[in-house]
């Protein structure tokens, strides 16, 4: 309509303004390309928007909401039922995995006919004479009795009475964030009781103490201690292993990428904020060579922001809170700025690609796992885009048939505090082989009190398992039978300033550093 305007320059300027407004609300660029080819728009405008990409598309399926949303669940129950549900749900998988490893068949008891191995359901069964001097396999939930584990009673003691020697020892170790002590003990528990795991060799005992953590359903192989039937002289301890069901990996000849970034923490420093701006421009196609945009950036079909968009807040003292326990208005102001900043930056990504935002321990949502999606009112700009999804932590989804599962790092941090000599890849592998997103919950990690089910159990073996907000990038392939899983440790962006791309064609990784 403006092309026949008597003032041609005015018409072009008006069209330039209209198209700019259109771009702010749409991820598509074909209108701009058509307009730029037929109109004499400003050169800066043409140059800026000719870099818009033809983004690769993919089939996305979300599997988290059914399992992890807790809004409709009751919150007034206790936690003992959660352990019982977890044990009952994972017992058969643990038995099957131990059976495969030991290669013993047929089995004695509930799981088969006669054999020199007896699978015992309940710890109370160990008192039977038929199991004396016989190798048994006991199924139960592992509990690590940590002498240095923090306790609410210690907080009371610290404030009102003098610290005893044991509490002083705790304080010394807690400064290092390590709660492993030589005096720790391992127990196997079920609905009927518990049995202590004792080891014939001191080095074996030390290894299990350093590498074990509470909450995992395990199979302990050993013999009943003739001097004390409450002890099991343990030879091996088997975790459930990878979930037995895994969908076949789709076959394709086309390169498509899923991008991961974690720990943006835009308010940590001005340098961090600038690097986040660079990564947004790179993913939008405004940085890099034309060849890189064609071969890499345009083929990034989805972006996963793995928690901790904002930096942790300083610890608040009691004077900062009102009578009802909420922060006073003046003290909320420092938290509003970073949220608006990350909202603005991520909304720019939503103009050109699909983005999923997981909450982390620093983000404005609940603390206990599973963390619920960040409320859309916190991300006002992002909420206007259908391309931006606010999801749970943990997160379970599929892209073109490739199954992804991951967490924002809290389960790994908690396991790291109660183990020793394990690197991130080893912790990630043990977490995966426990077939559970957060096995240490609710003992040492806050968790929602589920009753009828434990949705944190992995019901299917993923193709990719990731954890965000770690110190460095690590990747490894964990294989068990015919199942293979790519495990990814994603570094915090504010530390390393990088993103990780996973190719859906062959699950190869590409590590991109922003400088």
């Amino acid at each position: 309509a403006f092309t026949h305007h008597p003032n041609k320059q005015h018409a072009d300027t008006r069209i330039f303004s209209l198209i700019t407004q259109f771009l702010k609300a749409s991820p598509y660029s074909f209108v701009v390309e058509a307009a730029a080819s037929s109109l004499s728009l400003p050169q800066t405008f043409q140059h800026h928007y000719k870099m818009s990409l033809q983004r690769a598309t993919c089939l996305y399926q979300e599997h988290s909401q059914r399992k992890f949303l807790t809004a409709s669940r009751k919150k007034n129950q206790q936690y003992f039922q959660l352990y019982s549900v977890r044990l009952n749900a994972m017992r058969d998988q643990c038995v099957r995995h131990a059976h495969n490893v030991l290669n013993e068949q047929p089995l004695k008891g509930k799981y088969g006919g006669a054999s020199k191995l007896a699978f015992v359901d309940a710890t109370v069964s160990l008192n039977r004479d038929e199991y004396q001097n016989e190798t048994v396999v006991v199924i139960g939930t592992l509990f690590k009795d940590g002498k240095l584990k923090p306790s609410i009673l210690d907080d009371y003691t610290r404030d009102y009475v003098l610290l005893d020697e044991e509490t002083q020892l705790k304080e010394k170790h807690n400064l290092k964030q390590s709660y492993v002590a030589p005096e720790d003990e391992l127990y196997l528990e079920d609905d009927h009781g518990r049995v202590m795991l004792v080891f014939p060799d001191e080095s074996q005992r030390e290894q299990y103490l350093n590498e074990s953590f509470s909450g995992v359903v395990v199979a302990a192989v050993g013999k009943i201690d003739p001097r004390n039937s409450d002890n099991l002289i343990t030879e091996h301890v088997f975790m459930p292993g990878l979930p037995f069901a895994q969908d076949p990996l789709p076959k394709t000849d086309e390169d498509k990428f899923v991008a991961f970034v974690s720990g943006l923490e835009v308010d940590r420093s001005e340098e961090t904020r600038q690097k986040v701006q660079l990564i947004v421009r790179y993913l939008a196609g405004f940085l890099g060579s034309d060849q890189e945009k064609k071969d890499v950036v345009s083929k990034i079909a989805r972006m996963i922001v793995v928690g901790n968009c904002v930096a942790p807040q300083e610890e608040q003292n009691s004077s900062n809170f009102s009578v009802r326990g909420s922060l006073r208005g003046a003290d909320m102001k420092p938290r509003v700025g970073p949220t608006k900043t990350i909202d603005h930056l991520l909304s720019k990504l939503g103009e050109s690609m699909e983005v999923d935002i997981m909450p982390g321990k620093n983000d404005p949502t609940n603390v206990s796992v599973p963390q619920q999606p960040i409320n859309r009112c916190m991300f006002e700009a992002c909420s206007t885009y259908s391309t931006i999804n606010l999801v749970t932590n943990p997160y379970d989804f599929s892209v073109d048939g490739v199954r992804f599962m991951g967490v924002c790092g809290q389960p790994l941090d908690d396991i790291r505090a109660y183990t020793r000599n394990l690197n991130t890849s080893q912790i990630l592998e043990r977490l995966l082989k426990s077939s559970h997103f957060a096995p240490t919950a609710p003992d040492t990690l806050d968790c929602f009190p589920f009753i009828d089910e434990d949705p944190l159990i992995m019901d299917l073996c993923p193709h990719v398992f990731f954890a965000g907000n770690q110190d460095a990038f690590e990747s490894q392939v964990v294989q068990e039978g015919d199942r293979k899983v790519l495990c990814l440790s994603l570094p915090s962006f504010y530390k390393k300033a990088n993103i990780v791309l996973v190719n859906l064609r062959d699950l190869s990784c590409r590590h991109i550093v922003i400088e």
Side-chain angles (χ1 to χ4, degrees):
F2 286 97
T3 54
H4 299 289
H5 196 280
N7 189 339
K8 185 70 166 57
Q9 183 178 2
H10 173 77
D12 288 348
T13 303
R14 176 60 176 158
I15 293 175
F16 167 74
S17 175
L18 290 174
I19 294 178
T20 301
Q21 294 177 31
F22 173 81
L23 281 173
K24 291 182 178 179
S26 172
Y28 304 106
S29 59
F30 60 89
V31 174
V32 180
E33 293 171 359
S37 62
S38 60
L39 301 172
S40 56
L41 299 181
Q43 291 297 318
T44 55
F45 173 81
Q46 293 190 43
H47 174 72
H48 184 69
Y49 286 104
K50 277 184 179 179
M51 291 189 292
S52 297
L53 302 172
Q54 185 65 37
R55 184 74 62 178
T57 59
C58 61
L59 178 62
Y60 163 77
Q61 288 182 294
E62 181 273 330
H63 310 290
S64 293
Q65 290 195 16
R66 175 184 60 83
K67 300 185 293 185
F68 300 141
L69 290 182
T70 60
S72 60
R73 299 176 186 263
K74 295 181 180 180
K75 304 177 178 63
N76 58 350
Q77 56 267 17
Q78 297 298 316
Y79 286 101
F80 73 94
Q81 292 170 299
L82 178 59
Y83 282 116
S84 179
V85 167
R86 183 183 303 176
L87 176 59
N88 292 331
M90 302 190 69
R91 177 184 281 113
D92 288 345
Q93 178 183 341
C94 205
V95 169
R96 183 177 173 184
H97 178 65
H99 177 204
N100 291 342
V101 174
L102 294 170
N103 197 24
E104 292 284 348
Q105 56 180 347
L107 303 175
K108 183 179 178 180
K110 172 183 175 182
Y111 301 97
S115 174
K116 62 182 180 181
L117 279 182
F119 279 74
V120 183
D121 279 333
T123 52
V124 72
S125 302
L126 294 179
N127 293 321
R128 299 177 184 173
D129 293 337
E130 61 181 297
Y131 296 128
Q132 299 299 321
N133 301 319
E134 185 175 5
T135 301
V136 296
V137 182
V138 186
I139 311 298
T141 304
L142 190 67
F143 173 71
K144 188 173 186 178
D145 184 11
K147 305 304 180 184
L148 302 177
K149 184 168 69 173
S151 169
I152 187 64
L153 297 179
D154 294 337
D155 294 336
Y156 174 83
T157 303
R158 186 186 305 107
D159 292 337
Y160 295 100
V161 300
L162 294 177
L163 300 181
D164 58 18
E165 184 177 350
E166 181 180 355
T167 307
Q168 290 177 8
L169 183 63
K170 283 188 180 184
E171 294 286 332
K172 181 179 178 181
H173 281 76
N174 289 354
L175 292 175
K176 302 178 181 179
Q177 294 299 305
S178 175
Y179 307 124
V180 181
E183 301 80 17
D184 293 349
E185 300 290 352
L186 292 177
Y187 291 90
L188 208 58
E189 299 180 340
D190 62 13
D191 297 338
H192 303 275
R194 60 159 48 174
V195 59
M196 179 185 289
L197 303 184
V198 296
F199 299 90
D201 186 85
E202 182 61 29
S203 61
Q204 186 183 19
R205 177 182 182 275
E206 183 178 356
Q207 178 184 354
Y208 277 111
L209 283 177
N210 288 338
E211 299 179 0
S212 300
F213 44 89
S214 296
V216 187
V217 177
V218 299
V221 182
K223 293 184 178 181
I224 302 170
D225 190 343
R227 297 169 296 180
N228 186 349
S229 60
D230 292 333
N231 293 348
L232 182 71
I233 303 176
T234 308
E235 300 174 7
H236 304 285
V237 178
F238 296 110
M239 301 179 77
L242 301 182
F244 285 103
Q246 185 182 45
D247 294 334
L249 189 66
K251 295 183 179 179
T252 178
D253 296 329
E254 182 182 2
D255 287 330
K256 289 183 183 179
F257 299 98
V258 175
F260 293 89
V261 65
S262 71
L264 294 175
E265 300 195 15
V266 291
D267 53 326
R268 185 171 285 273
S269 67
E270 178 63 23
E271 181 182 3
T272 300
R273 189 182 64 81
Q274 292 175 355
K275 288 182 177 179
V276 173
Q277 289 177 327
L278 286 177
I279 199 64
V280 170
R281 291 183 60 80
Y282 173 80
L283 293 171
F286 298 145
L287 294 179
S289 65
D290 291 341
Q291 191 65 35
E292 185 175 9
K293 295 173 191 175
K294 178 181 177 182
D295 296 341
V296 180
V297 181
S298 66
K299 296 181 180 180
I300 300 177
R302 201 168 195 90
M303 176 74 175
I304 315 298
V305 181
V306 192
N308 287 359
C309 293
V310 297
Q313 297 293 323
E314 294 183 2
E315 192 172 324
Q316 305 287 337
N317 57 49
S318 58
S319 63
N320 294 70
F321 291 85
S322 64
V323 175
R324 291 175 177 258
S326 59
L327 279 171
R328 301 182 189 276
D331 297 301
M332 284 293 291
K333 290 183 179 179
R335 298 167 180 252
V336 175
T339 304
K340 286 188 175 181
T341 300
I342 195 64
D343 177 33
H344 172 74
L345 291 172
L346 293 181
S347 67
K348 297 302 179 183
L349 273 183
E351 295 176 359
S352 61
M353 65 190 305
E354 299 276 349
V355 182
D356 299 333
I357 304 175
M358 298 173 62
K361 65 179 181 180
N362 302 339
D363 295 321
T365 185
N366 63 301
V367 175
S368 59
V369 293
Q371 286 186 290
Q372 302 302 285
I374 299 173
N375 196 296
R376 300 193 75 86
C377 70
M378 303 297 295
F379 284 166
E380 184 177 356
C382 290
S383 63
T384 62
Y385 293 92
S386 61
T387 53
I388 297 181
N389 303 307
L390 302 176
V391 300
T392 59
N393 171 33
Y395 187 30
D396 181 1
F397 65 101
S398 298
V399 179
D400 280 355
V402 179
R403 191 70 174 257
F404 292 82
M405 296 182 186
V407 294
C408 288
Q410 296 98 313
L412 277 76
D413 295 339
D414 195 58
I415 291 173
R416 190 178 288 114
Y418 293 94
T419 56
R420 186 181 290 167
N421 304 329
L422 292 180
N423 59 36
T424 301
S425 293
Q426 291 172 325
I427 295 176
L428 200 58
E429 179 179 355
R430 279 165 171 74
L431 187 62
L432 180 63
K433 289 186 175 181
S434 72
S435 288
H436 201 278
F437 285 104
T440 57
D443 181 34
T444 55
L445 185 65
D446 291 336
C447 175
F448 188 89
F450 298 101
I451 291 182
D452 301 324
E453 62 174 344
D454 185 355
L456 296 173
I457 295 175
M458 298 179 189
D459 54 358
L460 195 70
C461 187
H463 299 110
V464 180
F465 186 56
F466 62 89
N469 302 288
Q470 302 303 302
D471 291 332
F473 169 72
E474 297 179 25
S475 68
Q476 66 169 340
V477 175
V478 177
Q479 184 170 2
E480 207 171 81
D482 58 350
R483 292 149 293 156
K484 291 183 179 179
V485 182
L486 171 65
C487 292
L488 293 177
S489 168
L490 307 173
S492 296
F493 184 85
Y494 80 90
K495 294 180 180 178
K496 302 293 184 180
N498 50 30
I499 62 174
V500 176
L501 306 182
V502 176
N503 195 328
L504 299 178
R505 177 174 57 83
D506 56 4
L507 299 188
S508 59
C509 294
R510 184 163 184 164
H511 192 214
I512 299 177
V513 179
I514 304 299
E515 297 179 342

